[in-house]
Amino acid sequence: MTAAGTPIAVVTGASSGIGAATARALAAAGYRVVLTARRKDRIEALAAEINEAGHQATAYPLDVTDRAAVDEFATAFRTIGVLVNNAGGALGADPVATGDPEDWRQMYETNVIGTLNVTQALLPALEASGDGTVVILSSTAGHATYEGGGGYVAAKNGARVLAETLRLEIVGRPVRVVEIAPGMVKTEEFATTRFRGDAEKAAKVYAGVAEPLSADDVAETITWAVTRPSHVNIDLLVVRPRAQASNTKIHREP
Ligand code: 8X3
């Protein structure tokens, strides 16, 4: 708790998409949000926007894969109420036979090691709050595979297992571990990053889908999960658009 008693929520990958929307939503729910991401300009602008709206936010540029930087960041906090591990993403959609090992490595670094770094570093402060919550954004890709899912599916399975294992290991301590697994979410960057700026390929992901989830839909889900009473642990919440029955069964309008 801060001097004023406002619980802190740290959000990684807060520069865009689900992370930015979650920062806004948790700030509106009464948390003092700490926005982290590599892109300083973006998180500073978002923190300013949140503060102008009468809520509380600060920006802290951070690469979650840089363990020394993460450890330095962690020294700033005595107690933290919520950590949302959102930083991550996909690179490529190649078959296993031809996928680039460097893409696989990078996805493991950001989605798994990044989450591990921040969670390990902030766990003492989460526990010190007496009522901490760790949220791990996995994906439906962490629960079922699909052709071309490759390294992303493997990495998100890693994130899921991290959440499940941590929950087992810290039971009895005052920290909840919540896994949120979104399906198709249309954000400004996810698919474009995956296809390295190829707008046409990125657009195909959502082609004909009347209403993919928005970043706000997922942010509301996260906010709901973390604002349940302390004894209620949402182990896993899978959230998809109505048009998506599975990773591969998607209703597309002609
Ligand atoms: C994103 C869902 O279907 O692109 O996490 O793997 S999918």
Side-chain angles (χ1 to χ4, degrees), residues 213-230:
L213 296 180
S214 68
D216 287 336
D217 293 326
V218 181
E220 279 179 28
T221 302
I222 293 167
T223 304
W224 176 80
V226 306
T227 54
R228 292 315 82 211
S230 309

PDB file of all heavy atoms in Angstrom, residues 213-230:
ATOM      1  N   LEU A 213     -12.960 -10.064 -30.120  1.00  0.00           N
ATOM      2  CA  LEU A 213     -12.870  -9.347 -28.845  1.00  0.00           C
ATOM      3  C   LEU A 213     -12.027  -8.095 -29.039  1.00  0.00           C
ATOM      4  O   LEU A 213     -11.149  -8.052 -29.904  1.00  0.00           O
ATOM      5  CB  LEU A 213     -12.192 -10.218 -27.780  1.00  0.00           C
ATOM      6  CG  LEU A 213     -12.907 -11.498 -27.351  1.00  0.00           C
ATOM      7  CD1 LEU A 213     -12.071 -12.224 -26.290  1.00  0.00           C
ATOM      8  CD2 LEU A 213     -14.299 -11.202 -26.809  1.00  0.00           C
ATOM      9  N   SER A 214     -12.284  -7.092 -28.215  1.00  0.00           N
ATOM     10  CA  SER A 214     -11.444  -5.899 -28.190  1.00  0.00           C
ATOM     11  C   SER A 214     -10.524  -5.975 -26.969  1.00  0.00           C
ATOM     12  O   SER A 214     -10.760  -6.784 -26.052  1.00  0.00           O
ATOM     13  CB  SER A 214     -12.324  -4.646 -28.089  1.00  0.00           C
ATOM     14  OG  SER A 214     -12.952  -4.624 -26.810  1.00  0.00           O
ATOM     15  N   ALA A 215      -9.518  -5.131 -26.972  1.00  0.00           N
ATOM     16  CA  ALA A 215      -8.625  -5.056 -25.803  1.00  0.00           C
ATOM     17  C   ALA A 215      -9.440  -4.698 -24.557  1.00  0.00           C
ATOM     18  O   ALA A 215      -9.172  -5.217 -23.460  1.00  0.00           O
ATOM     19  CB  ALA A 215      -7.542  -4.009 -26.054  1.00  0.00           C
ATOM     20  N   ASP A 216     -10.460  -3.852 -24.718  1.00  0.00           N
ATOM     21  CA  ASP A 216     -11.297  -3.471 -23.570  1.00  0.00           C
ATOM     22  C   ASP A 216     -12.069  -4.660 -23.015  1.00  0.00           C
ATOM     23  O   ASP A 216     -12.255  -4.776 -21.805  1.00  0.00           O
ATOM     24  CB  ASP A 216     -12.282  -2.359 -23.960  1.00  0.00           C
ATOM     25  CG  ASP A 216     -11.591  -1.013 -24.126  1.00  0.00           C
ATOM     26  OD1 ASP A 216     -10.513  -0.822 -23.523  1.00  0.00           O
ATOM     27  OD2 ASP A 216     -12.120  -0.168 -24.868  1.00  0.00           O
ATOM     28  N   ASP A 217     -12.538  -5.548 -23.911  1.00  0.00           N
ATOM     29  CA  ASP A 217     -13.246  -6.747 -23.429  1.00  0.00           C
ATOM     30  C   ASP A 217     -12.349  -7.539 -22.487  1.00  0.00           C
ATOM     31  O   ASP A 217     -12.783  -8.017 -21.430  1.00  0.00           O
ATOM     32  CB  ASP A 217     -13.641  -7.661 -24.605  1.00  0.00           C
ATOM     33  CG  ASP A 217     -14.701  -7.042 -25.515  1.00  0.00           C
ATOM     34  OD1 ASP A 217     -15.568  -6.308 -25.023  1.00  0.00           O
ATOM     35  OD2 ASP A 217     -14.658  -7.333 -26.738  1.00  0.00           O
ATOM     36  N   VAL A 218     -11.096  -7.718 -22.884  1.00  0.00           N
ATOM     37  CA  VAL A 218     -10.179  -8.522 -22.067  1.00  0.00           C
ATOM     38  C   VAL A 218      -9.808  -7.756 -20.787  1.00  0.00           C
ATOM     39  O   VAL A 218      -9.732  -8.341 -19.701  1.00  0.00           O
ATOM     40  CB  VAL A 218      -8.922  -8.918 -22.870  1.00  0.00           C
ATOM     41  CG1 VAL A 218      -7.990  -9.775 -22.019  1.00  0.00           C
ATOM     42  CG2 VAL A 218      -9.314  -9.673 -24.128  1.00  0.00           C
ATOM     43  N   ALA A 219      -9.628  -6.454 -20.910  1.00  0.00           N
ATOM     44  CA  ALA A 219      -9.295  -5.636 -19.732  1.00  0.00           C
ATOM     45  C   ALA A 219     -10.403  -5.724 -18.682  1.00  0.00           C
ATOM     46  O   ALA A 219     -10.138  -5.809 -17.482  1.00  0.00           O
ATOM     47  CB  ALA A 219      -9.063  -4.192 -20.158  1.00  0.00           C
ATOM     48  N   GLU A 220     -11.651  -5.720 -19.140  1.00  0.00           N
ATOM     49  CA  GLU A 220     -12.785  -5.839 -18.193  1.00  0.00           C
ATOM     50  C   GLU A 220     -12.765  -7.195 -17.506  1.00  0.00           C
ATOM     51  O   GLU A 220     -13.077  -7.310 -16.313  1.00  0.00           O
ATOM     52  CB  GLU A 220     -14.118  -5.673 -18.937  1.00  0.00           C
ATOM     53  CG  GLU A 220     -14.491  -4.238 -19.187  1.00  0.00           C
ATOM     54  CD  GLU A 220     -15.805  -4.107 -19.957  1.00  0.00           C
ATOM     55  OE1 GLU A 220     -16.666  -4.998 -19.845  1.00  0.00           O
ATOM     56  OE2 GLU A 220     -15.943  -3.109 -20.675  1.00  0.00           O
ATOM     57  N   THR A 221     -12.419  -8.219 -18.279  1.00  0.00           N
ATOM     58  CA  THR A 221     -12.340  -9.579 -17.728  1.00  0.00           C
ATOM     59  C   THR A 221     -11.264  -9.652 -16.645  1.00  0.00           C
ATOM     60  O   THR A 221     -11.475 -10.216 -15.564  1.00  0.00           O
ATOM     61  CB  THR A 221     -12.036 -10.573 -18.875  1.00  0.00           C
ATOM     62  OG1 THR A 221     -13.065 -10.445 -19.850  1.00  0.00           O
ATOM     63  CG2 THR A 221     -11.963 -11.990 -18.391  1.00  0.00           C
ATOM     64  N   ILE A 222     -10.114  -9.069 -16.945  1.00  0.00           N
ATOM     65  CA  ILE A 222      -9.002  -9.060 -15.977  1.00  0.00           C
ATOM     66  C   ILE A 222      -9.423  -8.302 -14.719  1.00  0.00           C
ATOM     67  O   ILE A 222      -9.206  -8.761 -13.588  1.00  0.00           O
ATOM     68  CB  ILE A 222      -7.746  -8.413 -16.609  1.00  0.00           C
ATOM     69  CG1 ILE A 222      -7.213  -9.297 -17.740  1.00  0.00           C
ATOM     70  CG2 ILE A 222      -6.674  -8.158 -15.551  1.00  0.00           C
ATOM     71  CD1 ILE A 222      -6.178  -8.624 -18.623  1.00  0.00           C
ATOM     72  N   THR A 223     -10.039  -7.152 -14.930  1.00  0.00           N
ATOM     73  CA  THR A 223     -10.440  -6.319 -13.784  1.00  0.00           C
ATOM     74  C   THR A 223     -11.464  -7.047 -12.928  1.00  0.00           C
ATOM     75  O   THR A 223     -11.395  -7.019 -11.697  1.00  0.00           O
ATOM     76  CB  THR A 223     -10.983  -4.966 -14.291  1.00  0.00           C
ATOM     77  OG1 THR A 223      -9.968  -4.371 -15.102  1.00  0.00           O
ATOM     78  CG2 THR A 223     -11.317  -4.032 -13.138  1.00  0.00           C
ATOM     79  N   TRP A 224     -12.387  -7.732 -13.578  1.00  0.00           N
ATOM     80  CA  TRP A 224     -13.377  -8.517 -12.826  1.00  0.00           C
ATOM     81  C   TRP A 224     -12.664  -9.573 -11.979  1.00  0.00           C
ATOM     82  O   TRP A 224     -12.941  -9.717 -10.785  1.00  0.00           O
ATOM     83  CB  TRP A 224     -14.371  -9.186 -13.789  1.00  0.00           C
ATOM     84  CG  TRP A 224     -15.332 -10.073 -13.069  1.00  0.00           C
ATOM     85  CD1 TRP A 224     -16.459  -9.700 -12.392  1.00  0.00           C
ATOM     86  CD2 TRP A 224     -15.228 -11.499 -12.905  1.00  0.00           C
ATOM     87  NE1 TRP A 224     -17.069 -10.802 -11.826  1.00  0.00           N
ATOM     88  CE2 TRP A 224     -16.332 -11.920 -12.125  1.00  0.00           C
ATOM     89  CE3 TRP A 224     -14.306 -12.454 -13.347  1.00  0.00           C
ATOM     90  CZ2 TRP A 224     -16.542 -13.258 -11.769  1.00  0.00           C
ATOM     91  CZ3 TRP A 224     -14.515 -13.790 -12.997  1.00  0.00           C
ATOM     92  CH2 TRP A 224     -15.623 -14.176 -12.217  1.00  0.00           C
ATOM     93  N   ALA A 225     -11.722 -10.293 -12.602  1.00  0.00           N
ATOM     94  CA  ALA A 225     -11.045 -11.390 -11.888  1.00  0.00           C
ATOM     95  C   ALA A 225     -10.277 -10.865 -10.668  1.00  0.00           C
ATOM     96  O   ALA A 225     -10.333 -11.462  -9.594  1.00  0.00           O
ATOM     97  CB  ALA A 225     -10.116 -12.141 -12.836  1.00  0.00           C
ATOM     98  N   VAL A 226      -9.578  -9.744 -10.825  1.00  0.00           N
ATOM     99  CA  VAL A 226      -8.744  -9.275  -9.706  1.00  0.00           C
ATOM    100  C   VAL A 226      -9.560  -8.575  -8.614  1.00  0.00           C
ATOM    101  O   VAL A 226      -9.090  -8.444  -7.491  1.00  0.00           O
ATOM    102  CB  VAL A 226      -7.568  -8.362 -10.156  1.00  0.00           C
ATOM    103  CG1 VAL A 226      -6.735  -9.034 -11.218  1.00  0.00           C
ATOM    104  CG2 VAL A 226      -8.025  -6.999 -10.603  1.00  0.00           C
ATOM    105  N   THR A 227     -10.775  -8.154  -8.951  1.00  0.00           N
ATOM    106  CA  THR A 227     -11.580  -7.455  -7.941  1.00  0.00           C
ATOM    107  C   THR A 227     -12.573  -8.391  -7.229  1.00  0.00           C
ATOM    108  O   THR A 227     -13.425  -7.921  -6.476  1.00  0.00           O
ATOM    109  CB  THR A 227     -12.334  -6.249  -8.557  1.00  0.00           C
ATOM    110  OG1 THR A 227     -13.097  -6.707  -9.676  1.00  0.00           O
ATOM    111  CG2 THR A 227     -11.378  -5.163  -9.000  1.00  0.00           C
ATOM    112  N   ARG A 228     -12.462  -9.708  -7.450  1.00  0.00           N
ATOM    113  CA  ARG A 228     -13.251 -10.656  -6.641  1.00  0.00           C
ATOM    114  C   ARG A 228     -12.736 -10.592  -5.208  1.00  0.00           C
ATOM    115  O   ARG A 228     -11.581 -10.216  -4.980  1.00  0.00           O
ATOM    116  CB  ARG A 228     -13.086 -12.098  -7.163  1.00  0.00           C
ATOM    117  CG  ARG A 228     -13.673 -12.489  -8.531  1.00  0.00           C
ATOM    118  CD  ARG A 228     -15.065 -11.993  -8.768  1.00  0.00           C
ATOM    119  NE  ARG A 228     -15.065 -10.609  -9.214  1.00  0.00           N
ATOM    120  CZ  ARG A 228     -16.038  -9.729  -8.944  1.00  0.00           C
ATOM    121  NH1 ARG A 228     -17.074 -10.057  -8.221  1.00  0.00           N
ATOM    122  NH2 ARG A 228     -15.962  -8.484  -9.379  1.00  0.00           N
ATOM    123  N   PRO A 229     -13.567 -10.996  -4.243  1.00  0.00           N
ATOM    124  CA  PRO A 229     -13.080 -11.031  -2.857  1.00  0.00           C
ATOM    125  C   PRO A 229     -11.808 -11.887  -2.755  1.00  0.00           C
ATOM    126  O   PRO A 229     -11.629 -12.815  -3.543  1.00  0.00           O
ATOM    127  CB  PRO A 229     -14.245 -11.681  -2.095  1.00  0.00           C
ATOM    128  CG  PRO A 229     -15.447 -11.483  -2.963  1.00  0.00           C
ATOM    129  CD  PRO A 229     -14.961 -11.438  -4.385  1.00  0.00           C
ATOM    130  N   SER A 230     -10.954 -11.552  -1.786  1.00  0.00           N
ATOM    131  CA  SER A 230      -9.616 -12.160  -1.689  1.00  0.00           C
ATOM    132  C   SER A 230      -9.601 -13.675  -1.695  1.00  0.00           C
ATOM    133  O   SER A 230      -8.650 -14.284  -2.176  1.00  0.00           O
ATOM    134  CB  SER A 230      -8.940 -11.723  -0.390  1.00  0.00           C
ATOM    135  OG  SER A 230      -8.995 -10.354  -0.272  1.00  0.00           O
TER     136      SER A 230
END
